[in-house]
């Protein structure tokens, strides 16, 4: 097929090889400080000629969209009505948004598209937000215990009498600038594209056939951000900021598994963020959808079995080894992309960082974000069955408290990819 599109049913599907003289209708100039000159991110599936990215919006949920279309419950021509969906809080723009390779995994303008590109949307161009901001309340049973013990005191603003905590809640979908991602990891863009193509089973041929398309909307989970207190305090140098960066652990975070410290550390982080907000500061929890160190729950449960059934039982000296035996690597989260959300929020300093992870600390410091105090999980919050995890980390020199080195060899995964809470 030589044409770059074919009509199926009511919509248009893009093929991988366009005519040689085809030019993008909406070229992107990533990092341009003017959002109009930067251009909109268009993952439109209704008009192939408008598309300027590889992949589609909604991350892993794009597969459910495809299923809904196939089942006849969703019109493939549907375009979102963005009336009254605008953010509840203003964020940016900040200088980091246009600094070279500072933000490479999210679209910093992703929450403003309805305003910035309203005219194009009115003309029928299918431009969608990749970031949404709302106000909400959260409540976890641990808050009631913290109030009863006196660790937290309701103030009627941040923490209400019934235990509700007021937050600004932000959802972000991944938007990858491939040249920037490659630069962040110190690899050739061609190598990145080839591996993305091969290890998704050839799902996205444009990765290797369309070098003119630099933006990839990967089918992965995004992140949710919770801000406690005044959001403007995150960028005010006179306001202290407490922060917890947390990677998803469904078994512990939701169902309370006692084999790891995930939920205790998450609730401890939230508690410290509430305290900071109540004292005039601001709190931030970044929740990344990277289950099981980005290895997935199936791998995680296989490792649980392997650890418990080995001769001698579950021990600290084989804690990381069993993961590597099953998955081939101890960790695939690669915290190198994590600082992007901090740049998007305009954050330059974290005063209290609730994390024992050198990987998280070092990734932030390398991106120019200053970190003050590092706060380990209190001993009394560690479940008894999680002591193997903690002993393994201590034996591996996990929480060193040392500053990040200036450079890191990303090819060396041995001894570096430790569990990261």
């Amino acid at each position: 097929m030589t044409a770059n599109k074919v009509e199926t049913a009511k919509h248009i599907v893009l093929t991988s090889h366009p005519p040689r003289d085809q030019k993008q209708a909406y070229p992107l100039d990533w990092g341009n400080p003017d959002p109009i000159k930067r251009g909109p991110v268009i993952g439109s599936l209704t008009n192939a000629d408008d598309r300027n990215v590889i992949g589609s919006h909604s991350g892993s949920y794009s597969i459910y969209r495809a299923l809904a279309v196939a089942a006849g419950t969703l019109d493939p021509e549907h375009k979102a009505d963005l009336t009254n969906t605008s953010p509840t809080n203003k964020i940016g723009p900040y200088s980091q948004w246009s600094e070279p390779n500072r933000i490479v995994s999210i679209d910093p303008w992703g929450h403003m598209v309805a305003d910035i590109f309203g005219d194009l949307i009115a003309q029928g161009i299918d431009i969608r937000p990749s970031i949404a901001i709302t106000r909400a309340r959260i409540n976890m049973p641990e808050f009631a215990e913290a109030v009863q013990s006196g660790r937290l005191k309701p103030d009627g603003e941040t923490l209400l009498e019934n235990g509700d905590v007021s937050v600004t809640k932000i959802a972000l979908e991944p938007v990858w600038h491939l040249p920037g991602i490659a630069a962040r990891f110190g690899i050739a863009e061609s190598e990145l594209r080839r591996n993305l193509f091969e290890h998704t089973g050839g799902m996205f041929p444009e990765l290797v056939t369309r070098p003119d398309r630099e933006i990839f909307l990967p089918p992965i989970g995004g992140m949710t951000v919770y801000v406690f207190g005044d959001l403007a305090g995150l960028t005010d140098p006179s306001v202290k900021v407490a922060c917890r960066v947390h990677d998803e652990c469904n078994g512990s975070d939701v169902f309370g598994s006692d084999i790891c410290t995930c939920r205790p550390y998450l609730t401890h982080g939230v508690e410290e963020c509430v305290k900071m907000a109540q004292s005039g500061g601001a709190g931030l929890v970044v929740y990344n959808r990277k289950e099981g160190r980005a290895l997935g729950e199936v791998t995680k449960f296989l490792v649980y079995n392997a650890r418990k059934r080995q001769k001698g039982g579950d021990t600290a000296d084989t804690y990381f080894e069993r993961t590597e035996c099953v998955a081939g690597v101890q960790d695939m989260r690669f915290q190198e992309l994590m600082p992007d959300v901090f740049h998007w929020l305009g954050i330059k300093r974290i005063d209290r960082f609730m994390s024992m992870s050198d990987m998280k600390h070092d990734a932030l410091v390398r991106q120019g974000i200053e970190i003050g105090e590092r706060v380990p999980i209190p001993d009394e919050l560690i479940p008894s069955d999680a002591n193997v995890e903690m002993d393994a980390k201590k034996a591996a020199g996990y929480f060193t408290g040392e500053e990040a080195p200036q450079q890191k060899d990303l090819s060396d995964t041995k001894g570096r990819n430790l569990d990261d809470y």
Side-chain angles (χ1 to χ4, degrees):
M1 182 176 295
T2 58
N4 73 311
K5 58 186 179 181
V6 292
E7 291 193 10
T8 64
K10 294 182 179 180
H11 63 292
I12 297 173
V13 178
L14 188 71
T15 63
S16 60
H17 296 279
R20 294 182 180 179
D21 59 349
Q22 177 175 325
K23 294 182 179 180
Q24 296 196 77
Y26 300 96
L28 282 165
D29 181 15
W30 193 262
N32 194 306
D34 183 335
I36 299 297
K37 294 179 181 178
R38 197 295 299 269
V41 171
I42 306 176
S44 176
L45 299 175
T46 59
N47 189 341
D49 291 335
D50 294 340
R51 285 174 57 84
N52 57 12
V53 304
I54 303 166
S56 62
H57 282 295
S58 300
S60 57
Y61 293 99
S62 62
I63 303 301
Y64 291 104
R65 175 185 173 90
L67 182 59
V69 172
T73 60
L74 175 62
D75 182 354
E77 296 285 338
H78 173 74
K79 295 178 182 177
D81 179 355
L82 300 177
T83 304
N84 293 329
T85 63
S86 58
T88 55
N89 301 73
K90 182 181 183 299
I91 294 181
Y94 297 111
S95 60
Q96 294 98 315
W97 292 16
S98 56
E99 293 174 5
N101 291 332
R102 187 65 81 184
I103 297 179
V104 299
S105 63
I106 56 178
D107 176 9
W109 304 98
H111 57 308
M112 300 183 181
V113 299
D115 295 327
I116 296 172
F117 305 111
D119 291 344
L120 291 176
I121 293 174
Q123 295 171 27
I125 308 301
D126 190 8
I127 304 172
R128 304 185 184 187
S130 60
I131 300 174
I133 305 170
T134 190
R135 290 286 299 170
R137 293 179 182 178
I138 61 174
N139 194 316
M140 304 173 78
E142 287 84 351
F143 298 165
E145 189 277 328
V147 170
Q148 291 174 1
S149 68
R151 295 198 312 272
L152 288 178
K153 298 183 183 300
D155 59 273
E157 185 174 351
T158 299
L159 178 61
L160 307 185
E161 291 290 341
N162 66 353
D164 285 355
V165 177
S166 298
V167 297
T168 298
K169 187 160 63 172
I170 308 167
L172 301 96
E173 291 180 0
V175 178
W176 286 10
H177 179 238
L178 294 175
I181 297 278
R184 182 75 58 89
F185 282 87
I187 57 179
E189 184 185 345
S190 59
E191 183 73 5
L192 173 64
R193 285 175 174 266
R194 183 178 63 81
N195 277 278
L196 287 171
F197 170 70
E198 291 181 354
H199 291 276
T200 55
M203 286 179 62
F204 304 98
E206 293 165 302
L207 285 166
V208 293
T209 63
R210 294 296 301 270
D212 58 315
R213 290 190 172 170
E214 297 183 341
I215 305 301
F216 178 41
L217 306 182
I220 60 174
M223 71 180 75
T224 309
V225 172
Y226 298 84
V227 180
F228 304 78
D230 186 3
L231 195 148
L234 296 176
T235 57
D236 187 337
S238 67
V239 173
K240 289 189 175 181
V241 175
C243 175
R244 166 71 182 159
V245 174
H246 192 89
D247 293 321
E248 178 183 36
C249 178
N250 188 62
S252 180
D253 297 344
V254 178
F255 293 101
S257 168
D258 62 355
I259 198 172
C260 64
T261 59
C262 295
R263 182 180 175 97
Y265 219 153
L266 175 61
T267 58
H268 171 64
V270 171
E271 187 174 323
E272 292 299 312
C273 286
V274 170
K275 290 179 181 177
M276 186 65 83
Q278 289 179 324
S279 65
L284 175 72
V285 171
V286 177
Y287 193 91
N288 292 295
R289 307 305 299 268
K290 295 180 178 178
E291 179 66 57
R293 304 182 218 163
L295 302 172
E297 273 196 314
V298 169
T299 295
K300 180 161 69 171
F301 291 1
L302 292 174
V303 171
Y304 284 169
N305 287 344
R307 284 168 47 193
K308 293 175 181 178
R309 291 171 176 168
Q310 65 187 345
K311 186 177 180 179
D314 193 10
T315 60
D317 59 343
T318 60
Y319 180 83
F320 300 120
E321 178 187 340
R322 296 310 298 142
T323 299
E324 190 165 1
C325 287
V326 174
V329 66
Q330 294 175 5
D331 195 317
M332 292 196 305
R333 281 170 294 183
F334 292 111
Q335 301 295 347
E336 284 79 9
L337 300 179
M338 176 265 292
D340 284 19
V341 69
F342 290 83
H343 294 316
W344 177 68
L345 290 165
I347 295 173
K348 296 183 178 180
R349 174 179 170 80
I350 300 168
D351 296 274
R352 282 176 61 78
F353 187 49
M354 280 72 73
S355 174
M356 295 174 68
S357 167
D358 288 347
M359 291 169 64
K360 293 174 182 176
H361 169 274
D362 294 356
L364 288 165
V365 170
R366 284 192 185 88
Q367 283 291 307
I369 297 170
E370 183 181 354
I371 294 179
E373 181 184 6
R374 299 174 66 182
V375 184
I377 185 172
D379 290 341
E380 62 270 20
L381 295 183
I382 301 174
S384 58
D385 281 355
N387 282 318
V388 170
E389 170 199 314
M390 300 305 294
D391 291 343
K393 292 176 181 178
K394 292 174 182 177
Y398 180 70
F399 181 36
T400 65
E402 298 176 356
E403 290 299 316
Q406 293 300 309
Q407 294 182 343
K408 173 171 59 176
D409 182 4
L410 292 174
S411 65
D412 178 15
T413 57
K414 286 281 188 179
R416 172 178 80 81
N417 293 316
L418 305 181
D419 213 358
D420 187 14
Y421 295 104

